[in-house]
Amino acid sequence: MSCDRLCSCDKRGIDYYGVLSLKKDCDDLEIKAAFRRLAIRYNPKRAKNESLSTIFALVTEAYDVLSDPLKKAIYDQFGEEGLKNGLPGSEGFIQPYIYHGEPMKTYREFFGTESPYADLLHILTQPSSLLEFPEGRGIKRKEEPLIKTLYLTLLEVLLGGIKKMKIQRLVLVGDDKSKTVVKEKILTIAIKPGIPTGTRIVFPEEGDQGPTKIPADVIFITEDRPHETFRREGSDLHMTVDIFLREALTGTVVTVNTLDDRTLRISLTSVITPDYRQHVPGEGLPLPENPKEKGCLIIAFNIEYPVYLPVSNKNYVKQAFETSEDIRDTEYVHRLILADKMRRNVDVGVPVRRDPNDYDAKELDFLCNI
């Protein structure tokens, strides 16, 4: 088989029929016969030529697609691009096809061995006893689990709820249960509030049915969808807020729209430095072990500096910093604060003397912090 036969020149991508040297109207028996012949010829253990491993992989992939009625129908109509990118169907989106990437697995499942000299045509003409195979002795093998990603929004993690996932699988039909047809099934998944990312949700034996196998488990693994504002770390939510330098030095109020459409107004009175973090308890995600409690909302800040300051403004800023450096006596600062409160007639709930100098250090500390 030449490399030119492996791919078609149109937009359909890989020509699976060309790989197996088949016509498009071939039947299932012809597909099996072509695979049998080529798989034995290009088995790496027999060919002993590393350059032929690519052809062997294509042969096994072509058989994996054309031997499956659903995959074959999609490929016939939409080509490799439609098969591997997925496409909308009448009952929902048809998931993209991904080859498992293990050619010897396909070979082994077909021949029952990895021997490079397996000849199924000979077995068909002189069949071995079914008792030589585990399936013939009534022993069914469990299929490997089917793993799917379950994407959750942060709001779904916050509130919990129910998600329904549609899967397609082969189901045994008929009185003798010897034939399979493709059917759809809806799986109901309970999402607990605060569910950790990477949680495995298992549906036992919901994979393809078959007369000689135990259906595979279907496993969903949760993953958070990216959010435009919040980032999750455990049960905490992180976000970054842009503020001006003036607000970082003199204080401001930050408005936060929560996941559940509430509005928080968070007052910032401390000097905001680049590594400062504002923790808001109880505004994160539910704790998995106790959903009634929640983690924190942690706010980081991106301080925007002015691109220009007049000389006069720079002098004012310089004077302000010089004044703050000169005031190192905490008690003196407290008396200044109290004097300012008295001038604004702030009722602090304690009898106010006329002169701030009349208070001792403990009284000053109390009055200035209420």
Side-chain angles (χ1 to χ4, degrees):
M1 179 188 301
S2 67
C3 292
D4 293 334
R5 290 296 305 273
L6 300 182
C7 298
S8 63
C9 296
D10 58 15
K11 295 181 179 179
R12 296 177 61 84
I14 298 176
D15 180 4
Y16 290 132
Y17 291 100
V19 170
L20 296 181
S21 300
L22 293 169
K23 295 181 180 180
K24 191 173 181 181
D25 59 352
C26 59
D27 59 25
D28 187 61
L29 184 60
E30 290 173 317
I31 294 172
K32 285 183 168 60
F35 174 70
R36 182 184 307 122
R37 173 173 49 83
L38 295 174
I40 292 175
R41 178 189 302 176
Y42 294 110
N43 185 313
K45 295 182 180 179
R46 180 171 183 169
K48 297 182 180 180
N49 187 335
E50 293 296 330
S51 64
L52 297 180
S53 60
T54 300
I55 297 178
F56 181 72
L58 280 171
V59 167
T60 56
E61 181 178 335
Y63 173 76
D64 189 60
V65 172
L66 298 182
S67 63
D68 184 296
L70 178 61
K71 297 173 189 172
K72 182 176 182 293
I74 295 173
Y75 174 74
D76 287 345
Q77 186 172 357
F78 301 101
E80 183 196 12
E81 182 177 355
L83 181 70
K84 293 187 176 180
N85 290 336
L87 44 87
S90 59
E91 308 251 354
F93 187 78
I94 299 175
Q95 294 297 320
Y97 163 72
I98 301 176
Y99 184 52
H100 53 67
E102 298 180 28
M104 288 307 298
K105 176 183 176 182
T106 304
Y107 185 97
R108 184 173 59 252
E109 290 175 347
F110 187 91
F111 290 103
T113 178
E114 291 188 1
S115 169
Y117 303 102
D119 189 346
L120 195 56
L121 283 173
H122 177 73
I123 293 175
L124 288 176
T125 55
Q126 300 181 16
S128 302
S129 171
L130 287 176
L131 295 178
E132 295 181 13
F133 303 96
E135 293 83 354
R137 299 194 299 271
I139 301 174
K140 294 186 176 182
R141 291 182 295 184
K142 180 72 174 283
E143 294 289 288
E144 295 182 6
L146 302 174
I147 298 180
K148 301 176 180 291
T149 301
L150 178 63
Y151 291 100
L152 300 176
T153 65
L154 290 182
L155 180 59
E156 289 174 322
V157 176
L158 174 69
L159 301 178
I162 299 294
K163 286 187 75 72
K164 295 183 180 293
M165 302 295 292
K166 181 185 294 185
I167 63 171
Q168 293 181 330
R169 62 175 187 155
L170 295 176
V171 178
L172 290 169
V173 296
D175 295 336
D176 57 356
K177 300 293 183 181
S178 61
K179 296 182 179 180
T180 58
V181 296
V182 177
K183 288 190 176 182
E184 292 183 343
K185 183 172 183 178
I186 304 296
L187 300 181
T188 302
I189 305 174
I191 305 300
K192 296 181 179 179
I195 184 171
T197 185
T199 298
R200 295 167 65 91
I201 302 170
V202 182
F203 289 86
E205 300 183 10
E206 290 291 353
D208 292 338
Q209 297 179 356
T212 60
K213 64 183 179 182
I214 300 173
D217 297 338
V218 177
I219 302 176
F220 292 94
I221 300 180
T222 62
E223 184 174 323
D224 296 339
R225 289 191 184 277
H227 192 275
E228 59 182 6
T229 301
F230 301 105
R231 174 175 52 84
R232 179 188 191 184
E233 288 188 13
S235 295
D236 294 332
L237 289 176
H238 291 250
M239 66 177 299
T240 300
V241 173
D242 294 331
I243 60 173
F244 294 108
L245 178 61
R246 170 178 54 81
E247 296 172 321
L249 296 176
T250 62
T252 187
V253 175
V254 172
T255 301
V256 177
N257 295 321
T258 65
L259 291 171
D260 52 352
D261 290 331
R262 292 178 296 111
T263 300
L264 302 179
R265 291 179 174 82
I266 303 166
S267 178
L268 303 174
T269 56
S270 302
V271 174
I272 305 301
T273 59
D275 58 351
Y276 179 83
R277 299 292 183 270
Q278 178 74 30
H279 287 66
V280 185
E283 290 296 341
L285 297 172
L287 304 181
E289 62 276 12
N290 184 9
K292 293 183 179 179
E293 297 184 8
K294 295 181 180 179
C296 293
L297 170 62
I298 302 175
I299 306 175
F301 298 91
N302 178 35
I303 303 172
E304 297 184 11
Y305 286 78
V307 296
Y308 172 75
L309 273 180
V311 175
S312 58
N313 288 10
K314 291 182 180 180
N315 290 334
Y316 287 132
V317 173
K318 186 182 297 185
Q319 292 174 12
F321 279 110
E322 289 174 350
T323 301
S324 65
E325 291 176 357
D326 290 340
I327 302 175
R328 301 182 183 278
D329 187 343
T330 303
E331 184 175 329
Y332 175 65
V333 173
H334 283 171
R335 294 188 190 280
L336 288 177
I337 295 173
L338 182 57
D340 180 64
K341 285 186 176 182
M342 293 172 64
R343 283 196 300 270
R344 291 185 286 111
N345 296 319
V346 177
D347 183 7
V348 295
V350 175
V352 179
R353 300 165 192 162
R354 292 190 176 184
D355 189 350
N357 293 318
D358 292 338
Y359 295 97
D360 61 28
K362 288 186 179 180
E363 290 175 317
L364 281 171
D365 183 63
F366 170 74
L367 291 172
C368 292
N369 286 282
I370 61 174

